[in-house]
Amino acid sequence: MRRESAVRAVIPPSRRRRPTPREARTSLPGNPQSPAAARRFVRTTLTHWTGPVVLDRLVDDAVLLVSELVTNAVVHAGTDVGLLCRLEDTADDGTALVVEISDHHPARPIRGGLAPVGQETPEFGHGLQLVSGLAAAWGITYRPGTKTVWARLPVDSREQPHPALGGLTADGDHGDVLGPRQDPEDQDWVNRGALTFLAEASDLLAGQLDEEHVAALAGQLLVPRLADWCAVWLTDEADRLGQGGADGFATGSRPARVWHGSENRIEDLRQALENDPPVLPLPASDPERSGPVPVPWPKAAFGDGDPTGAALAFRLAAGGRPLGTLMIGRAGLLRFPDEVTGLVEDFGRRVALAIGAARQYTRQATISRVLQRGLLPSAVAEIPGMRSALVYEPREAGGPGGDFYDVFPAGDGRWCFALGDVQGKGPEAAVVIGLARPWLRLLAREGYQVGEVLDRLNQLLLDDATEAADAAARALAAAGGPSVPPEGPLPRFLSVLYGELVPVDGGVRCTLASAGHPLPLVLGADGVVRAAAKPQVLLGVVEEAAYRTETFDLRSGETLLCVTDGVTERRAGRRQFDDGDGLATALAGCAGLTAPLVAERIRTLVHAFAPEPPEDDLALLVLQTV
């Protein structure tokens, strides 16, 4: 398989092509069945074309490429697409197949949660990774209302069979690839092809963060290149913990993905394999042994007139734990050749590593989500006479981030709010947030004034946060995480904007203080923006610091904007978002907007400030009198 991952073509092939010998197009609706329809369309179209010989390998590559791009457009974005296939002659590549996938609604919001009818797991696309891996040239063309991804697959370069398979012939016979190969030169050629296949498979599997994605990609890589069909089982929680059934057999596996070269056989094959799953003995000496184990041919999935074949199962294990089973089958064989079984065994190890990495990520993400829910309030309290809006986006999706927020009633007609930013991320930051937010609530409800609350929280951080953060870091290091720096525990600093709100006639009285935090801004009813506090030192830095407060009234229609430095220090090259009073200018442009619209406008401007995603957590709180 030819791989040119850095091809940059500016002019799409449709603008410099010679007369087209063959061209076919179709439209696909925005529903989960469209990837399957696209595969059938491409396979049928290429099979019936005459002229240049269209080889099985070219068909397979085209089907895989189109399937992935249509999946991305339809399943992920929910859009309708147009699909065009064309054979053309070019000066560079000779005869080539050009495919174009046009997204007719590229600006439609992405939606999730779609699952194809009749399948437990949705199809997931891998997009331009596969395009760059399969195509000699590719590009993206933008026109009004349309985004088109095109790719050119040369026919001439595919006149030789796929190197991982050996002698696959143009008419579909499997030739001698599935029988013994005696020619040393041929064997050397197969070995080189196997290395290419494994290298590209590793690239595609690397970085997948969902084990279902890994299983789906494994099936698409193996079928039909190395097998007629493939199935991937994943273990349940008992097997993940290294437990097993009686007599040393693995139990509790579920078929995560079943794939067949013929679309209409997938469901029958799935049912047959679910009724009679492979049961592999757990090796006593080497739990990660992944050698092929012959398993019965699933006759129930095929008619009486269909030939039987060979089926093999490979154990998927990593880190001493069973992860699942990979099963392949090829009709018309008594046994798979050694070069194919060896190649699939190596491929299975890569699949197992990818599944293990995905599960580790899932465990960490789950812990982070649970921790995040415990560190942040479940809802923002409603304040009489005010509307509020919050934007909270931790840099790492699911958190925990270093920013926190809170809005809560403090009793006696008082409501309090806080927006903070802890130095650092991860468990150490979580420890500080876990100290700061409950203490803010406790001190406020005990009747302490704004300045007094910050004074006491500052002393608490100086006394306790460093020791607690160090203990968390050491516990993480003991579990295999980053170790504590040799120079000892790092001090933990906290910037916070903390305030108290009391409804009064005609508005709300606000008393607040900023401890090392970006200053809050007030947007007046007249459209004028002013700072609402003065800068003071961070919490956790100076012993016995005395924090001063500012008190003012927010009248009807006035807006208070509080942000973390993820907003003010958002970078585009050397510029920051708040350079030249950029935040105040942005807020002035929000005159007349409600609190939710103010929050969304500021968020949009921050994201649009630079093409790259934000490098820091982002939090902003809008409080508006009514």
Side-chain angles (χ1 to χ4, degrees):
M1 183 184 298
R2 182 179 178 184
R3 182 177 181 86
E4 297 183 14
S5 58
V7 173
R8 298 285 186 231
V10 178
I11 303 176
S14 58
R15 296 186 181 180
R16 54 187 180 91
R17 69 189 186 196
R18 298 181 182 181
T20 304
R22 293 289 184 270
E23 183 170 294
R25 68 178 68 233
T26 188
S27 296
L28 301 168
N31 64 57
Q33 286 75 41
S34 291
R39 291 191 289 269
R40 289 193 295 270
F41 173 80
V42 171
R43 191 173 294 279
T44 301
T45 297
L46 298 185
T47 300
H48 286 85
W49 275 351
T50 59
V53 176
V54 179
L55 301 175
D56 279 1
R57 182 187 165 199
L58 176 63
V59 175
D60 295 340
D61 287 351
V63 167
L64 179 58
L65 184 149
V66 167
S67 175
E68 288 302 303
L69 292 180
V70 171
T71 295
N72 283 335
V74 175
V75 175
H76 290 176
T79 58
D80 301 340
V81 297
L83 169 58
L84 179 144
C85 297
R86 180 175 64 250
L87 282 176
E88 65 178 28
D89 294 330
T90 66
D92 298 333
D93 300 318
T95 301
L97 171 67
V98 176
V99 295
E100 296 183 4
I101 295 87
S102 299
D103 178 353
H104 296 303
H105 303 283
R108 183 182 297 179
I110 293 177
R111 69 169 186 254
L114 289 175
V117 176
Q119 297 187 24
E120 296 180 1
T121 305
E123 295 186 51
F124 298 98
H126 305 276
L128 297 183
Q129 292 185 39
L130 281 172
V131 175
S132 64
L134 296 175
W138 63 276
I140 301 176
T141 302
Y142 291 91
R143 298 183 180 90
T146 304
K147 168 189 169 185
T148 299
V149 181
W150 60 266
R152 181 185 297 111
L153 292 79
V155 174
D156 296 342
S157 66
R158 286 165 169 79
E159 290 178 356
Q160 296 295 331
H162 192 286
L165 281 179
L168 186 62
T169 59
D171 61 2
D173 288 338
H174 298 303
D176 63 353
V177 63
L178 297 176
R181 301 186 60 88
Q182 305 295 334
D183 189 335
E185 293 184 1
D186 286 347
Q187 185 63 53
D188 181 62
W189 171 65
V190 170
N191 291 338
R192 291 197 305 271
L195 292 176
T196 301
F197 173 80
L198 292 173
E200 293 179 352
S202 297
D203 288 344
L204 293 172
L205 292 169
Q208 300 300 328
L209 301 180
D210 188 298
E211 61 187 76
E212 305 287 349
H213 291 219
V214 175
L217 185 56
Q220 295 184 42
L221 287 170
L222 288 177
V223 177
R225 287 170 171 78
L226 297 176
D228 291 334
W229 54 265
C230 170
V232 178
W233 275 260
L234 296 176
T235 58
D236 62 10
E237 189 61 30
D239 278 333
R240 292 183 194 186
L241 296 176
Q243 301 173 8
D247 301 324
F249 285 83
T251 59
S253 295
R254 57 182 176 83
R257 186 69 177 180
V258 177
W259 193 261
H260 195 289
S262 298
E263 298 282 340
N264 58 353
R265 293 189 182 273
I266 291 178
E267 288 307 313
D268 290 340
L269 179 60
R270 176 189 294 275
Q271 292 179 11
L273 295 176
E274 286 179 346
N275 293 333
D276 188 18
V279 180
L280 305 182
L282 293 172
S285 58
D286 183 4
E288 296 194 27
R289 181 178 177 271
S290 58
V293 177
V295 292
W297 180 260
K299 296 180 180 179
F302 308 99
D304 294 336
D306 288 337
T308 60
L312 294 175
F314 300 80
R315 182 174 305 283
L316 300 176
R321 291 185 175 182
L323 302 176
T325 303
L326 171 67
M327 186 176 179
I328 62 171
R330 174 79 78 176
L333 291 182
L334 295 177
R335 60 179 294 273
F336 276 91
D338 292 341
E339 62 257 32
V340 173
T341 59
L343 180 58
V344 176
E345 183 176 355
D346 285 344
F347 174 77
R349 294 191 187 99
R350 288 159 172 79
V351 172
L353 290 173
I355 292 173
R359 288 185 173 177
Q360 178 66 25
Y361 172 83
T362 300
R363 284 193 291 270
Q364 292 176 346
T366 301
I367 293 171
S368 294
R369 285 194 296 270
V370 172
L371 184 59
Q372 193 74 31
R373 287 198 298 267
L375 294 176
L376 298 176
S378 58
V380 175
E382 295 184 5
I383 304 172
M386 302 197 81
R387 296 191 187 97
S388 62
L390 174 76
V391 172
Y392 178 74
E393 296 178 351
R395 181 176 180 271
E396 299 293 337
D403 291 359
F404 72 95
Y405 62 89
D406 204 356
V407 180
F408 59 93
D412 299 328
R414 298 177 300 127
W415 277 261
C416 295
F417 66 93
L419 196 63
D421 185 1
V422 178
Q423 179 195 34
K425 309 293 179 186
E428 293 180 344
V431 169
V432 178
I433 295 174
L435 284 170
R437 196 175 72 84
W439 273 101
L440 281 172
R441 287 194 168 209
L442 177 62
L443 292 170
R445 287 169 176 169
E446 288 293 319
Y448 289 97
Q449 301 300 309
V450 171
E452 295 173 325
V453 169
L454 294 184
D455 291 345
R456 283 159 174 76
L457 182 58
N458 177 62
Q459 195 60 46
L460 172 71
L461 290 173
L462 287 168
D463 292 343
D464 295 338
T466 297
E467 295 179 8
D470 183 38
R474 293 186 185 280
L476 184 64
S483 60
V484 178
E487 62 272 16
L490 294 174
R492 310 310 304 177
F493 306 135
L494 170 65
S495 76
V496 66
L497 176 67
Y498 173 69
E500 180 181 283
L501 301 167
V502 179
V504 296
D505 292 339
V508 174
R509 181 156 298 156
C510 178
T511 302
L512 54 74
S514 175
H517 204 77
L519 300 182
L521 300 176
V522 173
L523 172 63
D526 56 0
V528 176
V529 176
R530 68 180 188 275
K534 296 179 181 179
Q536 300 182 73
V537 68
L538 288 164
L539 296 176
V541 177
V542 179
E543 291 273 358
E544 300 180 357
Y547 288 91
R548 303 178 304 278
T549 62
E550 307 285 338
T551 300
F552 56 91
D553 288 348
L554 286 170
R555 296 301 177 183
S556 178
E558 293 190 325
T559 301
L560 177 67
L561 173 64
C562 312
V563 303
T564 60
D565 60 10
V567 174
T568 56
E569 296 179 5
R570 168 80 157 123
R571 286 190 173 275
R574 296 184 178 180
R575 296 185 301 118
Q576 293 186 351
F577 183 79
D578 199 32
D579 286 350
D581 294 327
L583 181 59
T585 302
L587 181 59
C590 298
L593 299 181
T594 62
L597 292 178
V598 171
E600 181 58 29
R601 181 177 179 85
I602 299 299
R603 174 193 173 278
T604 300
L605 291 173
V606 171
H607 278 274
F609 186 69
E612 299 81 12
E615 296 181 354
D616 196 3
D617 303 326
L618 187 153
L620 64 91
L621 176 66
V622 178
L623 300 170
Q624 187 179 71
T625 53
V626 296

